[in-house]
Amino acid sequence: MPPDAPPPASPLPDRPEPPRFPVNLAAPDLAPWQDGNAGIPGVHSFAAEEPGPHLLVMALVHGNEIAGAILLDRLLRTRPVPLRGRITLAFANLDAYARFTPEDPTASRFIDEDMNRVWDEATLAGPRKSSELKRARQLRPVIDQADVVLDLHSMLWPSDALILAGRSPRAAQLAAQIGVPPVVVADDGHAAGRRIIDYARFADADGIRAALLIEAGQHWEEATVATMEASFRRVARKLSLLPPARGEAALPRGRIAHVTRTVTATTCRFTFLREFRGGEVIAERNTLIALDGEAEIRTPHDNCLLVMPSPHTLRGHTAVRLAKFD
C-alpha cells in the first residue's frame, strides 16, 4: 500500500441474511380490476341508495403484501353492495405489485420509496417525484372522501396480528370495538414519514373520521387473508354497511396499548439480544433487549409489549416500538 493511501475502511459487522419465508399464497390476476369504476385505476366503489358512511378498504400499499389483494379480488367477484353509504375497494401500488414474484417476494415492496411514508401535506403537494408519490396523489381524492379507512397490511417477521390506530382516540376506540385483531396499538408512527393513518384528515384528535392499519399476520399465509376478511366484515357491520352475521360469536373488546417509545436504529449495528416475536410481553422494567452500536435498549416499564420487532433494521428505520397496555 502506498504510504499516502487512506487506510482501508473498517468492515461492517457480519449480519445474517434475512430468512426466506415460504410463499403459500397465489398472487391474483388483477387485470379485470385494473381500470376501476370510480375514475381512478384500481379503485372500485359501490354505493347504496340510503346515505351513510363511506368505508375505504385499501390493499397493496406495499406491492409484496398480496394477502390484501386476494381479499379485494374475492370481494369484487361477489360485488359488495352496502345497505347504506358506500364501500370502496382500492388496489394501491399496482406498479410494485406487477413486479411481484415468489422467487424474490420482498423485492416488490415499492418502486422508488415506501408509499406509507408520504402522507403529509408538504410531501403530497410538493415538487418531489416518485412512482409512489404519483400514485398517492392519484389516490388522494378518494381518501379525502372516506369516513373510515381500513388499510390492509401483513408482516415479514413472525408476529401476532394487531391494529395500528395512530394517535386518534376515535380510531383506537373503533379498533377496540371490532376486536379483530384483538390488540390495538396507539402510536406516533415512523421518523421516516407519515402513514395513511397519520394523514391529517384522520389524525385530528377531535375529528369524526378514522383510519385503521391492520397488520393481519405474516406475508403469504392464508390465515392472514382470513384475519383481513374478519376485520373488514366487522368494521362494515359496525358501520351498518353490511347486515349482521347470523350466529356470529361476540368478541371481547380489544386491548389498547400506547407506545411509550419508538426505537429507531441510529447505527448499522442494531442487534436484538435474542429472537423476539411481535406481540411478546416483557414482564420486568429495565430488561435489556437490544444494542444499537454501544447503546443499550431497555424496556421502560413492566409488562412491555414489543410491537413488530425487526431483526434486520437499517439505520434510520424503526427497529421496534415499546408499548404499555391501558
Side-chain angles (χ1 to χ4, degrees), residues 5 23 29 42-43 60 65 79 82 84 91 94 110 122-123 127 150 152 186 208 210 232 238 282 293 298 305:
V23 177
D29 177 10
V43 177
L60 294 180
E65 297 181 11
R79 189 179 173 85
R84 65 176 191 142
F91 300 99
L94 288 167
F110 52 78
T123 300
L150 201 63
L152 302 176
I208 61 172
F232 159 69
K238 177 67 180 175
I282 306 301
R298 294 180 176 271
L305 174 69

Side-chain angles (χ1 to χ4, degrees), residues 135 190 199-200 210 255:
R135 181 59 170 164
H190 300 273
Y199 184 47
R255 297 183 69 193

Side-chain angles (χ1 to χ4, degrees), residues 137-220:
R137 290 162 180 153
Q138 191 176 43
L139 291 169
R140 191 177 182 185
V142 72
I143 291 174
D144 282 341
Q145 296 168 8
D147 297 301
V148 175
V149 171
L150 201 63
D151 186 16
L152 302 176
H153 289 259
S154 54
M155 299 174 276
L156 176 62
W157 299 100
S159 178
D160 298 341
L162 55 87
I163 305 176
L164 295 173
R167 282 298 179 189
S168 165
R170 172 175 166 78
Q173 291 304 315
L174 175 61
Q177 289 166 5
I178 67 172
V180 179
V183 172
V184 181
V185 176
D187 73 327
D188 287 324
H190 300 273
R194 291 188 181 179
R195 306 159 298 186
I196 292 168
I197 62 171
D198 306 317
Y199 184 47
R201 179 177 178 83
F202 307 113
D204 183 358
D206 298 321
I208 61 172
R209 300 174 183 88
L212 306 178
L213 192 162
I214 308 296
E215 292 285 6
Q218 273 192 277
H219 300 328
W220 318 312

Side-chain angles (χ1 to χ4, degrees), residues 116-130:
N116 219 22
R117 301 292 185 271
V118 302
W119 293 92
D120 62 274
E121 182 63 29
T123 300
L124 290 168
R128 185 157 62 83
K129 295 181 180 180
S130 72

Side-chain angles (χ1 to χ4, degrees), residues 195-326:
R195 306 159 298 186
I196 292 168
I197 62 171
D198 306 317
Y199 184 47
R201 179 177 178 83
F202 307 113
D204 183 358
D206 298 321
I208 61 172
R209 300 174 183 88
L212 306 178
L213 192 162
I214 308 296
E215 292 285 6
Q218 273 192 277
H219 300 328
W220 318 312
E221 296 291 341
E222 185 60 43
T224 300
V225 183
T227 297
M228 289 178 174
E229 181 166 9
S231 298
F232 159 69
R233 295 196 179 280
R234 287 190 177 268
V235 169
R237 290 171 186 142
K238 177 67 180 175
L239 299 175
S240 299
L241 302 179
L242 295 180
R246 184 176 301 174
E248 183 177 67
L251 290 177
R253 182 180 175 86
R255 297 183 69 193
I256 299 176
H258 293 268
V259 169
T260 55
R261 182 182 177 188
T262 297
V263 179
T264 301
T266 62
T267 74
C268 60
R269 296 183 292 126
F270 190 100
T271 306
F272 286 98
L273 266 64
R274 66 170 175 84
E275 185 175 319
F276 290 102
R277 178 183 175 86
E280 186 172 344
V281 176
I282 306 301
E284 294 185 1
R285 174 185 177 275
N286 207 37
T287 299
L288 181 64
I289 60 171
L291 294 173
D292 189 1
E294 300 300 322
E296 295 184 344
I297 309 299
R298 294 180 176 271
T299 52
H301 43 73
D302 292 342
N303 298 320
C304 183
L305 174 69
L306 304 187
V307 180
M308 298 174 61
S310 177
H312 300 279
T313 304
L314 299 175
R315 182 169 55 188
H317 289 244
T318 300
V320 66
R321 279 159 282 184
L322 309 177
K324 187 175 185 178
F325 287 104
D326 285 352

